[in-house]
Amino acid sequence: MTVRISASSFPTPDLVKTTNNPAQWDQLDRFAAVQAEAANGALESLGERLASASTVEDRAAAFEGLYRQSAEWRYRLAVEGRVTRPSSNAETIRTPIGEGSMSYRLSPSVAGRESGSPAHRALTKMERVALEQFSGSADRVQHQVALPDGRTVNGNLLMRTESLGDQAADVFGRSTEEMAAAAPAVALDETITVTASLDDREVLRRAAFEQLAGLETKRAEAGGLDPHDPENRQAFADATYCLFQGPEFRRGTDATMRVFVAAAHARVFDAAPVVPQGVDLDAMVRDQQGFRDTMRDEMRVIPGGQTAGQERSTSAGERAAGARDQGRGSTGIQR
């Protein structure tokens, strides 16, 4: 049976549930169907690209094409005004991070999140996950990402804002003037995660495409892959980690990469996944082994995918149940 990706693959991230009103959460659930539609289109295009691929390099190029298609889809959504945050516009969706860095504040005290809401609870946990990686008097933790070829690349940096000093503008991706205007919103005792350098991010993205190409090659040679095999699952987790550790654009990254991950998994394993609801922030905060463990525990496989009829019958309540079952304890962001 041809794999069909449904809305069940995209549980709503806790981090966008900033209120204690479940009715507003139900409205957020509707984006899952939009992502599923995009993932199915991307999966079909990926199959066409891979049909003529005969080398690992060809297959890596096909997965890069999947990534580009997913990024363009997210941009078009913003252009159409369907999914755009109040603080951004469509052009930020395709604005590269470039030579600078992007950061995300993990401290739950940031305004706009009700105390006790899923978003507030999620950030509370993720800040704790970050701080547990600090040792002694250290105020920074540099993640190292091990690649299949034996190289080690710098990934995200965890740090406390009191250690920023003159680096604040670079870390927050803003000019000095913009930082001065935003100063009241930047506390001195917050925990943040900061993206890697431009060169390292490009290496990490390329590594993700190559690891998926390796899985696709195994699939082609063996006639299929077992998505429950520990070695296969770790390889897919590592590719996902590299992808999220190497973001290219300032906004839209979470939805772009969720669609990518779902389509790539459906291709190499012939089965749709339930993407962990907090996959993006887990990847930005946890070290590589911690992320592997999270993916092992939380990434569920939907055997054989779903037919179109089954997809239409999936209710918002069922999607919410799937999110609760598979996404407890981690967070995600809608950028």
Side-chain angles (χ1 to χ4, degrees):
M1 179 176 65
T2 301
V3 176
R4 181 78 179 170
I5 300 168
S6 77
S8 298
S9 287
F10 301 99
T12 303
D14 281 350
L15 202 59
V16 302
K17 300 175 182 177
T18 58
T19 76
N20 289 302
N21 183 355
Q24 293 189 22
W25 306 348
D26 290 342
Q27 294 175 13
L28 294 168
D29 283 344
R30 297 172 187 171
F31 189 44
V34 177
Q35 294 173 95
E37 179 184 7
N40 282 310
L43 177 59
E44 182 178 353
S45 297
L46 177 62
E48 294 171 355
R49 293 188 181 98
L50 289 170
S52 59
S54 58
T55 66
V56 174
E57 291 75 15
D58 291 341
R59 291 173 179 128
F63 282 102
E64 182 172 3
L66 169 64
Y67 166 76
R68 296 295 167 196
Q69 180 175 340
S70 301
E72 178 65 16
W73 159 79
R74 183 62 184 88
Y75 170 66
R76 291 298 169 192
L77 279 186
V79 169
E80 296 165 6
R82 297 172 64 185
V83 186
T84 305
R85 294 184 65 181
S87 59
S88 64
N89 57 55
E91 291 310 309
T92 63
I93 301 296
R94 64 175 181 183
T95 300
I97 297 171
E99 294 287 351
S101 298
M102 287 286 289
S103 67
Y104 189 82
R105 285 180 281 174
L106 303 174
S107 301
S109 59
V110 177
R113 301 184 180 100
E114 290 184 13
S115 178
S117 67
H120 191 275
R121 295 198 306 271
L123 274 181
T124 298
K125 175 177 181 178
M126 292 310 292
E127 183 177 38
R128 184 169 64 251
V129 169
L131 292 175
E132 286 173 352
Q133 297 175 59
F134 289 73
S135 61
S137 60
D139 56 14
R140 302 183 183 204
V141 176
Q142 176 65 66
H143 285 159
Q144 300 286 319
V145 185
L147 306 183
D149 62 7
R151 289 179 296 164
T152 300
V153 180
N154 282 341
N156 273 38
L157 175 71
L158 300 178
M159 62 192 305
R160 297 289 291 175
T161 51
E162 61 257 36
S163 70
L164 283 172
D166 294 336
Q167 295 179 314
D170 291 336
V171 168
F172 279 93
R174 300 176 181 178
S175 69
T176 303
E177 292 77 9
E178 289 172 323
M179 279 300 299
V186 181
L188 295 177
D189 59 349
E190 293 181 342
T191 308
I192 62 175
T193 176
V194 185
T195 58
S197 69
L198 173 61
D199 289 345
D200 287 337
R201 283 184 277 116
E202 290 178 345
V203 169
L204 287 163
R205 281 198 306 280
R206 181 64 188 175
F209 304 143
E210 291 175 348
Q211 288 178 90
L212 291 170
L215 285 171
E216 173 63 21
T217 299
K218 287 177 62 176
R219 173 187 183 274
E221 293 174 348
L225 284 185
D226 179 5
H228 301 288
D229 177 82
E231 182 178 344
N232 293 339
R233 287 177 69 85
Q234 178 171 311
F236 191 84
D238 283 347
T240 304
Y241 190 63
C242 285
L243 187 70
F244 278 101
Q245 286 272 314
E248 182 176 6
F249 301 106
R250 290 192 171 273
R251 293 288 185 268
T253 296
D254 60 333
T256 293
M257 293 186 180
R258 279 185 171 86
V259 166
F260 177 98
V261 167
H265 189 285
R267 171 66 192 193
V268 299
F269 294 125
D270 294 302
V274 175
V275 180
Q277 58 89 8
V279 64
D280 50 353
L281 199 55
D282 275 315
M284 289 192 290
V285 174
R286 299 181 188 277
D287 63 17
Q288 190 169 15
Q289 187 57 54
F291 184 76
R292 287 170 175 170
D293 294 342
T294 297
M295 290 286 278
R296 179 198 63 211
D297 296 341
E298 296 187 8
M299 191 163 187
R300 182 164 58 89
V301 177
I302 305 174
Q306 291 185 320
T307 66
Q310 288 174 317
E311 181 182 353
R312 284 192 297 270
S313 68
T314 303
S315 68
E318 289 170 332
R319 292 197 299 273
R324 287 192 296 271
D325 291 343
Q326 299 304 317
R328 287 192 177 100
S330 64
T331 65
I333 57 178
Q334 295 274 352
R335 288 199 306 274

